[in-house]
Amino acid sequence: MRCLKILFCVLIVFSFHALPQEKNSPVKDSISSLIQKFSDRDPFVRGDAVTLVVKLGSAAVGHLVIALNDKNDDTRLCSAIALGRIAPQGAKSITYLVEALKDKNPDVRWCSAIALGKFRTDAESAVAPLLAMLNDSDRDTRWAAYTALLKINKASINKTREIGEVIRTIETLTPQLMKELRVPGVSISIIKDHKLAWIKSFGFSDAAEKKPVDNNTMFEACSMSKPVFAFIVLKLVEQGILELDKPLYDYLPEEFVGEDDDFAKMITARMILIHTSGMPNWRRSGDETGGPLPVYFKPGTRFNYSGEGMFYLQRVIEHLTKKPLETLAKESLFDKLGFLSTGYTWTPEHDRQIATGHDTSGVPKERSKYTHANAAYTLCTTPEEYAKFIIEIMKHDNTNGVSLSGKTVNEMVRQQVRVDTREVTDRPGRALGLYSFRGLGWGIDSTITGDIIYHSGSNQSGFRCYSQFRMDEGSGIVIMTNGANGSELWTRIISKVGDL
C-alpha cells in the first residue's frame, strides 16, 4: 500500500511538470508560501490563504493537486476547497479530485465532490466514482456526490439495482445481524414490478421451543397496523360514509382536555391520518381505560405522532358502520384478498402461527393475545400478506371492488405535512433521503430520485418491523422480526439495500 502511495505521488509530480508552469519564481514562491499556511492551527489564517490562492487562478492548480495528497488533513481540505473555487478553470485537476474522493477524511471527500460538479460535463470521468460515493458512510458526502452528479450527468443517478444483488446482500447480512443483535426470528418479502418476487424466513419463532420461522409465521405488525387501517378508512370515504375533512366531533363527540375546548371540535380524519390532531401517542392512563385524553396544541397546526388519534378514529368508524374493526377489516379487505393469516384480534386458529416476542437479550417474552382490536398496533400478519397489501395499493387496475381509486391512492401517498422532527431513513445510492413527510397513514421520505413510502413498527411485546415501497417503480420490501433489537436489524439492512 505504501509503494502505491509513493507511486501516486511520483505520478502527481510528473503530471505537475506537464502542466503549464508559472514563468516567474515570485508567483511560485507565493503559492508555495500560501499552501504552507493551509496547515496553520488558526482557521482564519487557513481561510485567508485559500482566498489568496484562488485569486491566482490556474497558476495555482499544479501546486494544489500536489497538496491534495499531503499528509496533513487541513492541507488536503484547503486544497480541495481552493480547486473547487477556481473551477471550472483548472480542468486538469479533475483526475486528482477523483482520487481525492477516496480520502479518509469525509470533509476532503465532500469538498472534492462539490469541486467536480463545477466542471459539469467535463468531469464525465468522475461519474462512476461519484455513483459509488452515493454509498459513502458519511451522509453529507453522499449528498455532495448527488449534487455533483446532477451537474455532470443527471441521467446516471436513476439506476436500479439487480434484484439478485439485493437478495444476496440480505441473505448474507441477515443471519449476521440476527446473531449480533440477538434477534431470534426474521421474515422478509421483496416486491418487484408490482409482484411478490421473493420471500425468505430465518431463525426461530420461539427461541425456547426452537420452532423455526416459516413463510406462514405471523408477526405483530405493531404500528404497521396504521396504514392498513388508513386503507379501510379511505374505503369508507369513497363510499360516502365518512368525510376526510369533517370534524369527527360531528360523528362521535369525544371529551378532550386542552387549553381550548374548541380543539375537540376541530379534529378531522385527515388530521389523524397525518398525525396533526394534537393528541399524544398515548395518554398517561392507557388508551383503553377511558382516562383523560389531552390535546396539546391546535389541531392541524403541526405534526405529533399519535396512536390515540388512530384509536379515536377507530371508535368513530365503528360507530358509523355498527361493526367492530376486525369484522370491517375482514369484510372490506382481508377476505377479499384471500388473507388467511391476518387479523387485528387474536384467534385460537392463529395461535400456533403467531411468533413469540423476545427482549434485547433474545429471551422470550410473555405472548400477547389481543382480544380487542386497536387500529394503532394489534394487527398480526405475515410479511407475504403484508406485501400483497402493498401491491394492492400500487395496482394500476382499480376495478376489482377492493382497491382504492387511483385518485384516493394518490391522495394517500401525497406529501401532506412536512416532518422536521424525524430524520429520513438512512438509505444508500439513489435512495438518499432529503426530507420527511406524512401521507394518509404512511410516512414519506423524499429522495434524490423520488418518494419512498414507508412505515415502521415497535411493540413492547418484543416485535419490530418495517415496510417501504415506491409507487413509480412498483418495488418494495417488508421486514418482520420477533426481537426487541429488530429495529437496528432492519435499519442496517435498509442502509445497505436502499430502495431495491
Side-chain angles (χ1 to χ4, degrees), residues 131-147:
L131 285 171
M133 200 174 180
L134 290 175
N135 297 287
D136 194 275
S137 59
D138 181 74
R139 188 182 181 282
D140 288 340
T141 302
R142 295 184 215 167
W143 179 87
Y146 156 63
T147 58

Side-chain angles (χ1 to χ4, degrees), residues 71-87:
K71 65 181 180 180
N72 182 275
D73 283 5
D74 288 329
T75 297
R76 299 196 309 279
L77 175 60
C78 289
S79 300
I81 293 171
L83 286 169
R85 289 171 61 180
I86 291 171

Side-chain angles (χ1 to χ4, degrees), residues 21-221:
Q21 300 298 303
E22 301 86 351
K23 292 183 178 180
N24 53 51
S25 282
V27 173
K28 292 181 182 180
D29 293 342
S30 174
I31 295 171
S32 298
S33 175
L34 289 170
I35 288 178
Q36 287 178 9
K37 294 181 180 180
F38 285 1
S39 60
D40 196 280
R41 290 186 176 184
D42 189 334
F44 290 99
V45 172
R46 299 198 299 269
D48 288 342
V50 168
T51 298
L52 292 172
V53 166
V54 169
K55 288 181 179 180
L56 296 172
S58 296
V61 171
H63 295 272
L64 291 170
V65 297
I66 294 175
L68 266 182
N69 201 52
D70 194 271
K71 65 181 180 180
N72 182 275
D73 283 5
D74 288 329
T75 297
R76 299 196 309 279
L77 175 60
C78 289
S79 300
I81 293 171
L83 286 169
R85 289 171 61 180
I86 291 171
Q89 298 179 63
K92 290 186 177 181
S93 67
I94 291 173
T95 300
Y96 307 102
L97 286 167
V98 169
E99 189 65 25
L101 296 179
K102 304 173 187 175
D103 198 281
K104 65 181 181 180
N105 187 314
D107 292 338
V108 175
R109 300 198 300 273
W110 192 88
C111 288
S112 298
I114 296 295
L116 285 164
K118 293 186 177 182
F119 292 103
R120 298 190 177 270
T121 55
D122 287 343
E124 184 67 29
S125 62
V127 169
L130 286 167
L131 285 171
M133 200 174 180
L134 290 175
N135 297 287
D136 194 275
S137 59
D138 181 74
R139 188 182 181 282
D140 288 340
T141 302
R142 295 184 215 167
W143 179 87
Y146 156 63
T147 58
L149 285 165
L150 280 181
K151 297 173 175 62
I152 299 168
N153 185 340
K154 184 177 181 180
S156 67
I157 299 172
N158 201 10
K159 183 179 179 182
T160 59
R161 299 179 67 188
E162 292 293 332
I163 188 170
E165 180 187 352
V166 173
I167 290 171
R168 286 191 295 274
T169 299
I170 291 174
E171 287 184 320
T172 300
L173 186 59
T174 302
Q176 296 172 359
L177 293 175
M178 290 172 66
K179 182 178 180 181
E180 176 187 343
L181 300 172
R182 298 181 181 180
V183 176
V186 178
S187 189
I188 302 174
S189 292
I190 290 178
I191 302 165
K192 199 72 173 175
D193 298 324
H194 300 87
K195 296 177 182 177
L196 184 63
W198 182 80
I199 180 169
K200 187 164 182 176
S201 300
F202 306 80
F204 300 107
S205 65
D206 188 299
E209 295 181 2
K210 301 299 182 184
K211 180 182 177 182
V213 176
D214 60 34
N215 295 349
N216 293 316
T217 300
M218 296 171 64
F219 294 78
E220 292 184 24

Side-chain angles (χ1 to χ4, degrees), residues 413-473:
V413 300
R414 179 175 68 84
Q415 299 174 0
Q416 306 228 2
V417 60
R418 173 84 173 266
V419 182
D420 292 321
T421 57
R422 294 193 173 196
E423 293 291 332
V424 295
T425 303
D426 182 31
R427 302 183 188 90
R430 71 190 193 114
L432 173 67
L434 300 175
Y435 305 104
S436 182
F437 300 86
R438 299 300 296 199
L440 298 175
W442 291 97
I444 303 171
D445 281 345
S446 67
T447 78
I448 61 176
T449 54
D451 286 350
I452 294 178
I453 318 302
Y454 75 93
H455 214 292
S456 61
S458 172
N459 275 3
Q460 293 181 356
S461 51
F463 288 86
R464 305 290 188 271
C465 53
Y466 178 78
S467 61
Q468 69 176 41
F469 62 97
R470 285 187 65 138
M471 288 291 296
D472 56 345
E473 296 179 355

Side-chain angles (χ1 to χ4, degrees), residues 131-426:
L131 285 171
M133 200 174 180
L134 290 175
N135 297 287
D136 194 275
S137 59
D138 181 74
R139 188 182 181 282
D140 288 340
T141 302
R142 295 184 215 167
W143 179 87
Y146 156 63
T147 58
L149 285 165
L150 280 181
K151 297 173 175 62
I152 299 168
N153 185 340
K154 184 177 181 180
S156 67
I157 299 172
N158 201 10
K159 183 179 179 182
T160 59
R161 299 179 67 188
E162 292 293 332
I163 188 170
E165 180 187 352
V166 173
I167 290 171
R168 286 191 295 274
T169 299
I170 291 174
E171 287 184 320
T172 300
L173 186 59
T174 302
Q176 296 172 359
L177 293 175
M178 290 172 66
K179 182 178 180 181
E180 176 187 343
L181 300 172
R182 298 181 181 180
V183 176
V186 178
S187 189
I188 302 174
S189 292
I190 290 178
I191 302 165
K192 199 72 173 175
D193 298 324
H194 300 87
K195 296 177 182 177
L196 184 63
W198 182 80
I199 180 169
K200 187 164 182 176
S201 300
F202 306 80
F204 300 107
S205 65
D206 188 299
E209 295 181 2
K210 301 299 182 184
K211 180 182 177 182
V213 176
D214 60 34
N215 295 349
N216 293 316
T217 300
M218 296 171 64
F219 294 78
E220 292 184 24
C222 313
S223 287
M224 277 166 46
S225 305
K226 295 178 176 75
V228 177
F229 176 63
F231 186 102
I232 295 165
V233 169
L234 291 173
K235 196 67 181 175
L236 295 176
V237 171
E238 289 189 338
Q239 294 167 355
I241 296 172
L242 178 75
E243 293 181 30
L244 263 181
D245 298 306
K246 181 176 179 178
L248 296 180
Y249 192 90
D250 294 350
Y251 296 113
L252 182 66
E254 179 84 16
E255 184 177 349
F256 292 94
V257 178
E259 62 184 83
D260 190 328
D261 290 341
D262 287 337
F263 285 177
K265 301 174 183 178
M266 298 178 184
I267 299 169
T268 66
R270 184 188 301 274
M271 292 175 190
I272 284 175
L273 294 178
I274 64 174
H275 297 280
T276 61
S277 68
M279 284 183 266
N281 192 12
W282 299 110
R283 69 187 94 183
R284 293 180 64 88
S285 58
D287 54 296
E288 295 172 351
T289 59
L293 181 54
V295 178
Y296 287 122
F297 56 85
K298 184 178 180 180
T301 57
R302 60 186 174 89
F303 172 86
N304 187 62
Y305 190 81
S306 175
E308 281 287 0
M310 296 289 174
F311 192 49
Y312 174 35
L313 183 54
Q314 174 186 336
R315 296 193 297 275
V316 171
I317 68 168
E318 287 177 334
H319 170 73
L320 292 174
T321 62
K322 310 303 180 186
K323 296 176 182 178
L325 175 59
E326 178 67 11
T327 300
L328 187 61
K330 284 178 65 64
E331 291 178 355
S332 64
L333 185 60
F334 303 156
D335 288 350
K336 290 184 177 181
L337 293 179
F339 288 179
L340 300 177
S341 303
T342 300
Y344 275 99
T345 56
W346 173 89
T347 66
E349 293 78 17
H350 286 157
D351 188 65
R352 290 296 298 169
Q353 281 184 260
I354 300 173
T356 301
H358 299 74
D359 64 18
T360 54
S361 299
V363 176
K365 301 190 74 169
E366 183 179 354
R367 297 182 76 213
S368 300
K369 293 184 178 181
Y370 299 118
T371 55
H372 297 280
N374 188 306
Y377 67 88
T378 65
L379 185 76
C380 284
T381 187
T382 66
E384 178 178 0
E385 292 192 350
Y386 203 91
K388 289 179 178 178
F389 161 67
I390 290 174
I391 292 169
E392 186 65 30
I393 293 173
M394 295 191 293
K395 285 177 68 171
H396 296 302
D397 179 14
N398 304 98
T399 60
N400 63 355
V402 182
S403 303
L404 298 172
S405 69
K407 180 180 179 181
T408 299
V409 170
N410 289 340
E411 187 68 8
M412 178 186 242
V413 300
R414 179 175 68 84
Q415 299 174 0
Q416 306 228 2
V417 60
R418 173 84 173 266
V419 182
D420 292 321
T421 57
R422 294 193 173 196
E423 293 291 332
V424 295
T425 303
D426 182 31

